[in-house]
């Protein structure tokens, strides 16, 4: 596969790039600061520069786009904006796979899930929550074959934990290692199971 990665320098992004080693895919990654990793073609540029991103997407002939961007806890619209640009640039191309990370609150929810989501959307996480919901709206109206891996708190760790995968958020605190988030994204690229939806993945405590 030829894959374009956005957010390759972040916590999950670095794990995703590390796990690409030996998989045999061609990977381009748009980054703000210069980075080098053997086997990865880094393209320096700003993902929010519409001209730059659209040019990369339209000329790149990609099979998949992986969006691992995030604006931290600040009032950022990096995900909303980048997702809309990707969806617009690839409009009509239904075979292109889009896999991103998201938050548990945008999954379908049980009643306890709705209560947790309501509480979180009124805390310091509210800007993150809004940015992810903005991205979801662009995906829902796009022609892309999209999947969001929805996460609770992402913690340090190379991965390998036993995971629960769920179609509904049932509320409460959940966590997942950054290495496991990267693995879930790779799984959805190589053996897609979820289409046009967000599914949750979290560590099962032993
Ligand atoms: N942390 C959690 O507990 C948690 C839980 C659920 C979901 N998530 C979501 O998971 C995603 C990834 O999280 P993470 O912890 O890996 O994020 P992170 O370490 O903060 O990385 C963010 C990435 O986005 C890039 N970025 C941010 N603003 C940008 C901009 N304006 N233009 C270009 N690149 C920009 C950063 O590039 P630079 O290196 O150049 O800054 C970096 O590569 C985020 O969307 C986050 O909301 C996180």
């Amino acid at each position: 596969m030829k894959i374009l990665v956005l957010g390759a320098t972040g916590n999950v992004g670095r794990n995703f790039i590390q796990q690409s080693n030996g998989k045999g895919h061609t990977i381009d990654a748009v980054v703000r600061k210069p980075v080098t990793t053997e086997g990865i073609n880094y393209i320096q540029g700003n993902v929010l520069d519409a001209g730059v991103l659209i040019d990369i997407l339209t000329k790149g002939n990609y099979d998949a786009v992986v969006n691992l961007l995030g604006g931290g806890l600040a009032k950022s619209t990096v995900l909303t904006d980048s997702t809309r640009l990707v969806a617009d640039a690839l409009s009509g191309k239904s075979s292109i796979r889009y896999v991103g990370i998201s938050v548990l609150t945008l999954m379908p929810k049980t009643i306890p899930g709705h209560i947790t989501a309501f509480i979180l959307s009124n805390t310091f996480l509210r800007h993150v929550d809004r940015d992810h919901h903005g991205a979801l709206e662009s995906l829902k109206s796009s022609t892309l074959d999209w999947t969001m891996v929805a996460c609770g708190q992402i913690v340090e760790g190379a991965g390998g934990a036993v995971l629960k995968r769920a179609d509904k958020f049932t509320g409460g605190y959940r966590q997942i290692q950054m290495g496991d988030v990267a693995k879930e994204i790779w799984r959805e690229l190589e053996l897609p199971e979820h289409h046009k939806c967000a599914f949750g993945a979290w560590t099962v405590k032993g």
Side-chain angles (χ1 to χ4, degrees), residues 78-159:
V78 67
L79 274 168
T80 302
D81 297 342
S82 60
T83 308
R84 191 177 49 240
L85 284 175
V86 173
D88 289 350
L90 301 178
S91 174
K93 299 190 176 167
S94 56
S95 62
I96 298 183
R97 191 86 173 111
Y98 173 103
V99 184
I101 313 179
S102 200
V103 286
L104 293 172
T105 54
L106 60 58
M107 292 172 62
K109 296 175 267 300
T110 60
I111 289 171
H114 276 289
I115 294 168
T116 305
F118 176 77
I119 293 167
L120 289 175
S121 67
N122 287 289
T123 66
F124 62 96
L125 294 171
R126 65 188 179 282
H127 300 308
V128 180
D129 199 62
R130 250 174 243 151
D131 199 13
H132 282 283
H133 276 82
L136 177 67
E137 290 314 309
S138 290
L139 291 175
K140 277 183 174 169
S141 59
S142 80
T143 54
L144 296 168
D145 176 16
W146 62 273
T147 299
M148 302 267 235
V149 180
C151 304
Q153 186 178 12
I154 299 175
V155 297
E156 290 280 345

Side-chain angles (χ1 to χ4, degrees), residues 7 9-12 32-33 47 69-70 79 101-102 132 151-152 154:
T9 54
N11 291 318
V12 178
R32 294 195 278 195
K33 296 167 260 179
V47 289
L69 291 164
L79 274 168
I101 313 179
S102 200
H132 282 283
C151 304
I154 299 175

Side-chain angles (χ1 to χ4, degrees), residues 32-102:
R32 294 195 278 195
K33 296 167 260 179
V35 210
T36 50
T37 308
E38 202 184 324
I40 308 295
N41 174 36
Y42 289 103
I43 305 166
Q44 211 174 331
N46 186 341
V47 289
L48 298 182
D49 184 332
V52 169
L53 188 57
I54 290 171
D55 194 52
I56 293 169
L57 285 163
T58 48
K59 291 185 182 153
N61 206 16
Y62 295 105
D63 301 299
V65 176
V66 172
N67 191 347
L68 310 177
L69 291 164
L73 298 177
K75 195 174 180 180
S76 167
T77 55
V78 67
L79 274 168
T80 302
D81 297 342
S82 60
T83 308
R84 191 177 49 240
L85 284 175
V86 173
D88 289 350
L90 301 178
S91 174
K93 299 190 176 167
S94 56
S95 62
I96 298 183
R97 191 86 173 111
Y98 173 103
V99 184
I101 313 179
S102 200

